[in-house]
Amino acid sequence: MTKKDQRTDAAREKDRERWMARFQVRLAMQPGVDRAVVLQAVKDVTAHCGETAEHPRTAFGDPDSYAVQAAARLVPADRAARARQHNAVVDALDSVLKRGGDVAGL
């Protein structure tokens, strides 16, 4: 293998790692996603890319969009809805506390 081939392989591997890292972060941010969901999704992507030798971007597209799709597929709808509701309550409480701190001069 020539040095150019090695550099190309290294660049491709680095790009694959960046795609996977972004996918994992975006997936973890989806409502109702826990560690088990992230691990299953990563396992699915890794297995597919290992079998087909495809780059994840080629196989699954944009990591942000695929994270939304994977969450919709792997997270039960009721759990996602509860997580969205919980997040809305926490955001509202945070906003009230912030305004209270501003009024009190804190």
Side-chain angles (χ1 to χ4, degrees), residues 1-66:
M1 184 178 282
T2 67
K3 284 189 179 189
K4 184 176 180 182
D5 291 339
Q6 289 174 345
R7 283 193 302 266
T8 302
D9 287 348
R12 183 173 166 82
E13 180 62 21
K14 188 161 189 92
D15 187 47
R16 187 193 69 75
E17 289 172 2
R18 278 194 304 266
W19 190 98
M20 289 295 290
R22 183 165 182 113
F23 170 65
Q24 290 176 52
V25 168
R26 295 299 185 182
L27 180 60
M29 293 170 59
Q30 298 303 307
V33 170
D34 59 9
R35 185 172 187 264
V37 170
V38 173
L39 291 175
Q40 182 61 51
V42 167
K43 181 180 173 185
D44 294 346
V45 169
T46 303
H48 175 84
C49 293
E51 291 171 5
T52 64
E54 283 183 291
H55 186 283
R57 184 173 307 281
T58 304
F60 302 103
D62 178 63
D64 297 346
S65 298
Y66 189 64

